[in-house]
Amino acid sequence: MGNPHNKMTKRKFAFDGICNSFFGFSAIVWLGVFVPYNSSAQTDSVKKANELKEVSIRAIKLSKRQLSASPLQILSGKDLERLNSLSVADAIRFFSGVQLKDYGGIGGLKTINVRSMGTNHTAVFYDGVQLGNAQNGQVDLGKFSLDNIEEIELYNGQKSTIFQSARGFASGSSLYLNAKQPEFENGQTDHVKASVKGGSFGLINPSVLWQHKVSDAISASLSTEYKNANGRYKFRYTNGVYDSTFVRKNADIETMRLEAGLNGKLQDSSVWAAKVYYYKDHQGLPGAIVSNRYDFTQRLWNENFFVQSSYKKEAGRYNLMASAKYASDYVRYLDPDFVKDDGFLDNRFKQRELYLSLTNRYKINSFWDVVLSSDYQYNTLDANLDYFAYPARNTFLTALATQIHFERIDVQANLLSTYVNDKVKQFFSAGNKNELTPTVMVSWQPFDNLKEFRVRSFYKSIFRMPTFNDLYYTSIGNTLLKPEYTKQYDLGLTYIRAFKGHKLQQISIQTDAYYNKVRNKIVAVPSANLFRWSMQNLGRVEIKGLDVNVQTVWNIVTDLSLTTGLTYTYQQALNVTDKNLNYRNQIVYTPVNSGSFILGADWKNLAMNYSYIYVGQRFNQGANNVYNYVPAWYTHDIAFHYTKVLKHDRFRISAEVNNFLNQYYDVIANFPMPGRSYRFTIAYSY
Amino acid sequence: MKKQLLYRLSLAVMVSASLFSCRKDPQPAPEQVEILEPTPSGPVKGLYLLNEGNMNMNKASLDYLDLATGVYRRNIYNQANPEIVKGLGDVGNDIGVYGSKVYVVVNLSNKIEVLNAKTGKKLGQIPLANSRYITFYKGKAYASAYLGTLGDPTAGNGVVIEIDTATLTEKRRVQVGRQPEELAVVRGKLFVANSGGYSSKNYERTVSVIDLNSFQVTNKIDVAINLHRLKADQYGDLYVSSRGDYFDIPSKLFVIDTQTEKVKKSFDIGVSEIVIDGDLAYYYSTEYSKITGDNTITYGMINVKTEIPLTKSFITDGTNEKITVPYGIAVNPITKDVFVTDAKDYVSPGTLYCFNPAGIKKFQVTTGDIPAHFAFVY
């Protein structure tokens, strides 16, 4: 067996030698932020140019980014358009405190984990109504195209308003995807936007958006998109001795989305909206790249349909908001490598959801509001699994909330009551659950004459219900599960400052320190053998973190403006479940350091975007040992846009290079990410 | 002005580019060594332990314990074979030593790796999709696989293949029941336990008997649903475990007389794994209860000569309380020490325990993920 003692010297690996490129990362970031500033020995002509803009700059307006009592990050409008992003998932990588779990490629599952609490603690709202998934509690953000999204907001805790549905109070963090709202200037009755994207992975992605003004009070919109890609890309694995490049196979995807909406305004200035959404896809499921296995046969089909409508009246002392939704989701999974006595494994899952929400606000006086929100939700899951329970769930949410708001202080508090009742057609049901959870949020301007500086803080206790899969998945589910609880404590500050007559026109900083605790974390644990896992309330996690966000706006010369966005995240997320097993080890896939940097530039008809993402070293399993070590990864993306406006017609051409230094990496072990890739867009709008 | 900006931008890009070289150069996963209590065992030199590694993690790994010196070497494969792309592979399902070679069955990597038993160097591999278990007889290796053909909805049956251990190539194959598991040769006949594990409403219930001359199935012995373990004693009997259906039908143990090819006895004992050494069978069982949500773990022994369970266990010092999930067992044929592994939560390094014949712990050591299968080296 060779001489074992020779090998002993090789034990020290990786940890002592890891070059912490985080410092390198900070270096470029600060270079990016400050180089132009320091270089700005001002010339007279520049001064003059700036003087013209001063008027608008002096009266700095605090946006919701500064005023929100809960930490808020936004990507919207031009910034979002400039960014190298195909889906919502690509864009949210630039938020702090966020990890995107990405299985790679266009069709690979992409879910968001905010502040290490776990995917199921983030609710995703599409045009104000939550996208539910009672089966596994996860929303695949790779399925949501940015094509008709105007704004992405991420709130830690909850949205900073009490005038919201009870669902809005019911998650550890909330991601809002807001579709483009039709706006018509004088005389306009139609807007059309058509675009085609194409590039690496065999991508072809045409889309059309049509907005029509039906009357002064009503507008209609129609958005449709088709996407086809063979999903092939090169990836490389090496251990320094072997060095192999492969092509990702069975990664093809074809999707279709159709969305229609009506927006209206009534005479009392209340507004209503209605939306129908249909999405369908068919894709290959490329599996883990393990030794001797590089091709796969598994297939997946998805079909999502929902119709939702909402009504909002905000005038007067009594305000009302109502919404309703019906959703139906179908998933089919086919595994030709798994042959049962009656053919291939061919699982079909069908979910239905009915959702009703009513929110009442009463403004007691100029500074004191109270809200009562009630939601009802009904979910069912059917599956062609043996021994399946066919669960149905009734959820009643009631939130009682109050807000006291003065110019310098804003206090929001709410108590959320959740009642859940599960029924099954056979076997055991999880029965009833009743929970009462509070949230308190404060935003405060401590100095009388410094409106630009605010302190914010929140405390939130919330939980996630065990999903249908957790409870009822045949041979895994455990109906004895309790909810998974989280407690969040956050303290942060925001500061914004505008500069007169400088190249640096505006700088804005938001930073938060937080402490989260996850209790009764639902984890899969072994029972009799590897086929027989069971879900248990086992995990406890303690998370200490720091999020930093800095945005700057520059005006270098008359036509050249720059914006930068910088995020940094520090997270210590420790497993404190069991003193004998991986105790106080950093939890799986959570880097201690991560960050991003975006530089956007606009010059006349040209726009450019450079973006950088850094994710520090982490571990792909619970034990923080050398075999589970995953090195840091960092990608650089760049995009160029050219816009030409002819009267009302607007043409736009974009070219993007993503991961242009061609770094090969995995986000999830053995699910390789693409190296360098290209994308081109031609868009026309009227 | 503009030029200066461009210059600075390109500088920033260049600085970023230089970061690329900042990632530490990748290296083959290291071997780790620990010194344990030596157990000189005469002709038995050492013990291979195959760690399965969790599915999709590609973390099957091989540990080696030198019994004479007590040197425990964790993860020997990668240093011995750094040139093998992505290493040993995904889910190591069985290991056997035959002659001077080690055979490692790697389930999701669709292969049987053959290594030099002395050095751990790879000698070759036999492709076998969804491979499960291996046994040896007269210069041949026999291995089971869940499916004979992939991608055919009507081809639900598994196969057993015959491998020439000199050329390391597949010679013959025979179709058996659905999802065959362990196998053994007794009286020149090959017995394989069929599980039917892919169809939980319609498990298999038979042991297939294969004539080694014709390599044809000559009989199917009806036993019970979802068979798994199949071990031969020195009296011509087979001990076969049924996993039950995890709902109403519990796990049980059956004894087959290989002469009559009939079940001659059954025990109302749940069995997750069983090994037979001389007149003693050592087993443990992990059974999950839907009612309490807990695992019940038992350790026991059976005298295979009298076919009567013993009242004593092979762990007597209370160490069993520390074992979360027993996942592998082996008995040193010389010293009668018992090795038991703990797979813990299946995603963490496990533990190997060694007990003396009185059931007192001699030592324990950290293994790879999901330590499960043993093979002694002579």
Side-chain angles (χ1 to χ4, degrees):
Chain A
M1 295 293 305
N3 180 357
H5 299 284
N6 277 342
K7 300 271 168 73
M8 285 181 80
T9 52
K10 293 192 178 172
R11 284 169 62 187
K12 280 182 76 188
F13 163 75
F15 294 105
D16 43 356
I18 292 148
C19 144
N20 191 345
S21 67
F22 178 73
F23 293 109
F25 161 62
S26 345
I28 358 171
V29 159
W30 291 114
L31 202 67
V33 175
F34 287 114
V35 161
Y37 187 51
N38 296 337
S39 70
S40 61
Q42 297 221 332
T43 63
D44 283 351
S45 64
V46 174
K47 258 186 190 158
K48 258 181 204 148
N50 281 335
E51 276 162 16
L52 293 172
K53 298 203 168 182
E54 263 180 30
V55 185
S56 57
I57 294 159
R58 194 182 295 139
I60 191 157
K61 214 175 154 235
L62 298 188
S63 70
K64 51 187 174 181
R65 216 179 224 154
Q66 282 79 37
L67 293 170
S68 176
S70 51
L72 162 65
Q73 298 178 72
I74 312 175
L75 272 171
S76 62
K78 229 176 169 182
D79 293 336
L80 198 55
E81 199 176 50
R82 256 195 323 250
L83 208 58
N84 305 38
S85 299
L86 186 64
S87 72
V88 169
D90 295 333
I92 58 146
R93 297 179 303 163
F94 298 98
F95 288 150
S96 63
V98 164
Q99 294 146 45
L100 185 76
K101 263 185 123 180
D102 188 344
Y103 285 81
I106 290 184
L109 176 70
K110 294 165 178 62
T111 58
I112 183 177
N113 179 1
V114 179
R115 291 186 172 179
S116 296
M117 291 185 294
T119 298
N120 295 48
H121 287 282
T122 304
V124 181
F125 294 83
Y126 194 63
D127 274 356
V129 183
Q130 192 181 351
L131 294 164
N133 187 339
Q135 187 183 352
N136 60 25
Q138 303 190 346
V139 177
D140 185 353
L141 296 170
K143 300 268 193 258
F144 290 91
S145 150
L146 277 180
D147 191 60
N148 67 330
I149 301 287
E150 174 66 21
E151 183 176 61
I152 302 174
E153 297 172 309
L154 175 67
Y155 291 91
N156 296 109
Q158 64 199 32
K159 193 171 187 167
S160 179
T161 173
I162 58 165
F163 189 45
Q164 64 178 337
S165 67
R167 270 262 156 245
F169 297 101
S171 295
S173 50
S174 299
L175 183 70
Y176 287 82
L177 313 177
N178 303 320
K180 284 198 170 81
Q181 296 301 317
E183 272 173 35
F184 298 99
E185 285 164 28
N186 289 342
Q188 289 180 323
T189 57
D190 290 278
H191 285 313
V192 175
K193 187 188 164 201
S195 76
V196 184
K197 292 189 172 107
S200 304
F201 319 110
L203 174 73
I204 298 173
N205 178 203
S207 67
V208 178
L209 171 69
W210 176 46
Q211 297 174 327
H212 178 66
K213 186 173 171 181
V214 179
S215 69
D216 282 345
I218 299 176
S219 62
S221 65
L222 185 74
S223 164
T224 182
E225 179 178 5
Y226 171 81
K227 187 163 71 186
N228 192 332
N230 62 33
R232 283 194 202 119
Y233 56 87
K234 268 198 236 168
F235 60 92
R236 173 182 166 205
Y237 281 108
T238 175
N239 68 349
V241 178
Y242 71 77
D243 186 344
S244 297
T245 303
F246 305 93
V247 173
R248 198 72 167 131
K249 290 179 190 157
N250 195 40
D252 59 292
I253 183 164
E254 184 178 25
T255 76
M256 206 272 285
R257 175 176 61 83
L258 185 63
E259 223 174 312
L262 284 174
N263 289 64
K265 212 179 258 179
L266 299 180
Q267 275 179 340
D268 62 352
S269 80
S270 59
V271 292
W272 59 271
K275 183 178 206 104
V276 185
Y277 177 98
Y278 178 74
Y279 172 90
K280 190 178 180 175
D281 71 25
H282 171 211
Q283 65 177 105
L285 272 181
I289 296 294
V290 299
S291 178
N292 202 35
R293 197 160 187 197
Y294 311 106
D295 200 359
F296 304 89
T297 55
Q298 290 75 17
R299 310 291 302 174
L300 189 70
W301 290 259
N302 276 292
E303 215 172 321
N304 308 112
F305 167 80
F306 68 76
V307 49
Q308 69 186 39
S309 72
S310 61
Y311 168 83
K312 185 150 100 175
K313 174 182 168 296
E314 278 193 285
R317 288 192 100 153
Y318 171 70
N319 310 145
L320 174 77
M321 193 157 61
S323 52
K325 177 177 181 172
Y326 170 78
S328 155
D329 297 307
Y330 169 79
V331 177
R332 178 181 172 207
Y333 170 70
L334 181 76
D335 185 352
D337 287 355
F338 193 115
V339 186
K340 310 201 316 170
D341 55 342
D342 57 355
F344 294 149
L345 177 76
D346 192 351
N347 286 149
R348 288 144 202 256
F349 302 91
K350 185 152 194 174
Q351 290 191 68
R352 286 196 183 85
E353 176 176 311
L354 176 69
Y355 170 73
L356 301 169
S357 170
L358 188 66
T359 304
N360 309 274
R361 176 166 66 182
Y362 185 71
K363 295 175 176 164
I364 294 171
N365 53 38
S366 63
F367 60 85
W368 188 15
D369 303 345
V370 286
V371 160
L372 178 68
S373 288
S374 339
D375 288 8
Y376 166 72
Q377 194 173 317
Y378 179 71
N379 292 90
T380 62
L381 175 64
D382 291 347
N384 65 340
L385 297 172
D386 295 339
Y387 304 106
F388 193 65
Y390 301 96
R393 172 176 289 181
N394 286 289
T395 307
F396 296 89
L397 295 164
T398 309
L400 192 60
T402 184
Q403 180 174 21
I404 292 168
H405 50 97
F406 296 101
E407 172 121 5
R408 284 180 54 187
I409 190 155
D410 174 12
V411 182
Q412 300 174 29
N414 68 267
L415 200 57
L416 175 73
S417 148
T418 309
Y419 172 78
V420 177
N421 170 256
D422 281 12
K423 287 197 163 61
V424 291
K425 286 196 184 148
Q426 53 180 352
F427 310 114
F428 301 104
S429 138
N432 300 335
K433 288 187 177 62
N434 213 337
E435 300 288 334
L436 207 57
T437 47
T439 303
V440 183
M441 311 200 297
V442 183
S443 170
W444 176 44
Q445 178 198 322
F447 307 111
D448 189 28
N449 54 356
L450 193 62
K451 181 169 107 154
E452 295 89 344
F453 179 70
R454 290 186 80 93
V455 176
R456 65 188 175 195
S457 183
F458 79 85
Y459 162 75
K460 178 160 187 159
S461 166
I462 195 68
F463 60 92
R464 71 138 174 128
M465 284 301 299
T467 64
F468 282 160
N469 277 1
D470 294 337
L471 295 165
Y472 305 112
Y473 202 92
T474 302
S475 83
I476 292 173
N478 171 6
T479 53
L480 305 171
L481 285 178
K482 294 186 280 268
E484 180 179 309
Y485 301 92
T486 63
K487 278 195 163 70
Q488 301 179 68
Y489 306 83
D490 179 286
L491 178 65
L493 51 91
T494 69
Y495 177 71
I496 185 165
R497 184 154 176 210
F499 300 92
K500 282 185 275 179
H502 285 79
K503 292 192 184 309
L504 174 61
Q505 295 194 307
Q506 185 180 302
I507 182 160
S508 158
I509 299 169
Q510 307 92 47
T511 181
D512 288 86
Y514 52 90
Y515 175 62
N516 298 343
K517 265 162 106 165
V518 184
R519 185 164 60 86
N520 278 349
K521 195 175 171 75
I522 297 171
V523 289
V525 296
S527 53
N529 57 54
L530 263 183
F531 298 112
R532 300 281 306 156
W533 291 68
S534 76
M535 306 306 293
Q536 304 269 298
N537 285 110
L538 266 186
R540 286 174 84 97
V541 185
E542 270 180 28
I543 302 140
K544 285 176 191 156
L546 176 75
D547 288 357
V548 181
N549 286 268
V550 181
Q551 301 92 31
T552 61
V553 179
W554 304 78
N555 197 289
I556 308 296
V557 290
T558 315
D559 289 318
L560 180 62
S561 64
L562 297 182
T563 58
T564 70
L566 162 71
T567 70
Y568 166 67
T569 304
Y570 168 83
Q571 257 183 57
Q572 186 197 57
L574 302 180
N575 174 1
V576 291
T577 309
D578 177 354
K579 286 216 156 69
N580 297 314
L581 191 65
N582 307 330
Y583 190 66
R584 295 192 74 79
N585 280 2
Q586 181 85 356
I587 61 170
V588 65
Y589 288 127
T590 304
V592 173
N593 294 301
S594 56
S596 69
F597 174 67
I598 300 174
L599 172 71
D602 290 283
W603 184 66
K604 293 182 178 164
N605 287 336
L606 292 170
M608 187 281 278
N609 189 80
Y610 163 78
S611 54
Y612 174 79
I613 291 174
Y614 173 89
V615 173
Q617 64 178 68
R618 60 228 181 276
F619 298 93
N620 58 27
Q621 288 189 156
N624 291 181
N625 69 23
V626 61
Y627 303 114
N628 297 335
Y629 167 82
V630 184
W633 62 266
Y634 28 94
T635 55
H636 306 260
D637 305 334
I638 197 154
F640 297 95
H641 309 276
Y642 172 76
T643 309
K644 180 91 188 157
V645 180
L646 294 167
K647 278 193 181 173
H648 293 296
D649 301 312
R650 184 168 177 258
F651 298 90
R652 185 182 158 88
I653 298 171
S654 306
E656 299 168 39
V657 188
N658 296 312
N659 191 2
F660 64 76
L661 293 181
N662 203 26
Q663 186 176 87
Y664 291 103
Y665 65 103
D666 290 359
V667 175
I668 305 295
N670 306 316
F671 287 85
M673 300 293 293
R676 187 185 301 119
S677 70
Y678 306 89
R679 196 157 50 225
F680 304 94
T681 308
I682 300 174
Y684 163 79
S685 56
Y686 161 79
Chain B
M1 187 65 222
K2 237 181 285 164
K3 265 187 187 158
Q4 220 179 3
L5 179 76
L6 275 175
Y7 166 74
R8 288 200 155 80
L9 276 177
S10 53
L11 187 75
V13 169
M14 265 153 42
V15 170
S16 335
S18 68
L19 283 177
F20 189 67
S21 57
C22 209
R23 264 204 324 186
K24 177 93 179 165
D25 286 339
Q27 290 176 21
E31 178 180 309
Q32 297 176 338
V33 175
E34 289 187 37
I35 309 297
L36 308 170
E37 187 186 315
T39 318
S41 308
V44 181
K45 293 199 189 78
L47 169 70
Y48 275 106
L49 169 59
L50 175 63
N51 303 288
E52 293 191 352
N54 197 20
M55 190 175 160
N56 285 348
M57 294 307 292
N58 199 42
K59 280 186 183 162
S61 68
L62 208 50
D63 298 352
Y64 183 78
L65 172 63
D66 187 313
L67 288 166
T69 60
V71 173
Y72 188 83
R73 299 168 57 200
R74 190 161 40 237
N75 196 54
I76 62 161
Y77 185 93
N78 298 84
Q79 289 294 328
N81 303 286
E83 72 288 353
I84 303 302
V85 178
K86 300 222 85 178
L88 191 54
D90 201 29
V91 188
N93 207 71
D94 199 12
I95 185 168
V97 172
Y98 190 68
S100 61
K101 296 178 185 128
V102 196
Y103 295 76
V104 184
V105 181
V106 194
N107 177 240
L108 290 173
S109 286
N110 298 337
K111 66 178 177 183
I112 300 168
E113 287 239 349
V114 187
L115 316 175
N116 180 317
K118 268 208 178 98
T119 62
K121 277 296 268 180
K122 182 169 176 172
L123 301 170
Q125 82 180 38
I126 300 109
L128 183 59
N130 215 332
S131 47
R132 296 292 294 173
Y133 292 96
I134 192 159
T135 193
F136 307 92
Y137 184 70
K138 286 193 174 168
K140 302 284 193 297
Y142 298 94
S144 59
Y146 264 6
L147 293 173
T149 323
L150 292 184
D152 178 354
T154 61
N157 284 59
V159 290
V160 171
I161 67 164
E162 183 183 69
I163 299 156
D164 183 330
T165 57
T167 61
L168 303 181
T169 50
E170 179 183 329
K171 288 293 168 204
R172 296 187 286 181
R173 64 167 56 198
V174 59
Q175 185 173 303
V176 292
R178 286 177 285 122
Q179 291 81 60
E181 302 279 15
E182 289 194 343
L183 62 181
V185 178
V186 185
R187 298 181 205 273
K189 294 181 281 191
L190 178 61
F191 296 83
V192 56
N194 299 305
S195 72
Y198 281 171
S199 311
S200 52
K201 286 267 166 146
N202 183 20
Y203 287 115
E204 286 273 8
R205 356 182 349 110
T206 61
V207 167
S208 299
V209 187
I210 299 157
D211 175 72
L212 288 180
N213 292 320
S214 64
F215 215 55
Q216 294 293 317
V217 174
T218 56
N219 191 12
K220 281 176 142 187
I221 310 168
D222 185 80
V223 184
I225 60 160
N226 201 4
L227 302 179
H228 184 200
R229 306 297 180 186
L230 185 146
K231 298 280 165 43
D233 69 9
Q234 56 183 333
Y235 302 104
D237 289 340
L238 286 172
Y239 284 72
V240 182
S241 76
S242 153
R243 280 183 282 217
D245 68 353
Y246 314 112
F247 281 88
D248 304 321
I249 305 171
S251 170
K252 279 179 84 169
L253 182 66
F254 297 85
V255 185
I256 292 173
D257 182 332
T258 54
Q259 183 78 56
T260 61
E261 299 185 1
K262 289 216 158 54
V263 173
K264 67 174 199 182
K265 188 159 186 164
S266 74
F267 297 94
D268 284 332
I269 291 173
V271 167
S272 301
E273 171 67 298
I274 183 167
V275 288
I276 298 172
D277 178 75
D279 280 347
L280 289 177
Y282 303 70
Y283 70 88
Y284 59 77
S285 133
T286 307
E287 287 210 86
Y288 176 73
S289 164
K290 271 260 170 196
I291 312 295
T292 63
D294 287 330
N295 285 333
T296 311
I297 298 166
T298 44
Y299 300 89
M301 294 159 91
I302 298 169
N303 184 319
V304 296
K305 191 177 181 187
T306 59
E307 292 170 10
I308 294 171
L310 306 186
T311 48
K312 66 169 190 172
S313 169
F314 50 88
I315 305 174
T316 56
D317 61 354
T319 306
N320 49 312
E321 296 297 321
K322 289 187 183 160
I323 299 177
T324 316
V325 182
Y327 208 73
I329 184 169
V331 179
N332 184 323
I334 308 299
T335 64
K336 307 300 175 188
D337 287 344
V338 182
F339 295 92
V340 178
T341 60
D342 182 359
K344 301 192 172 167
D345 65 354
Y346 285 48
V347 286
S348 301
T351 303
L352 169 66
Y353 293 94
C354 178
F355 300 94
N356 70 18
I360 313 288
K361 187 179 92 177
K362 289 173 77 175
F363 60 80
Q364 72 177 72
V365 64
T366 300
T367 64
D369 297 354
I370 320 184
H373 309 280
F374 294 94
F376 288 98
V377 180
Y378 287 85

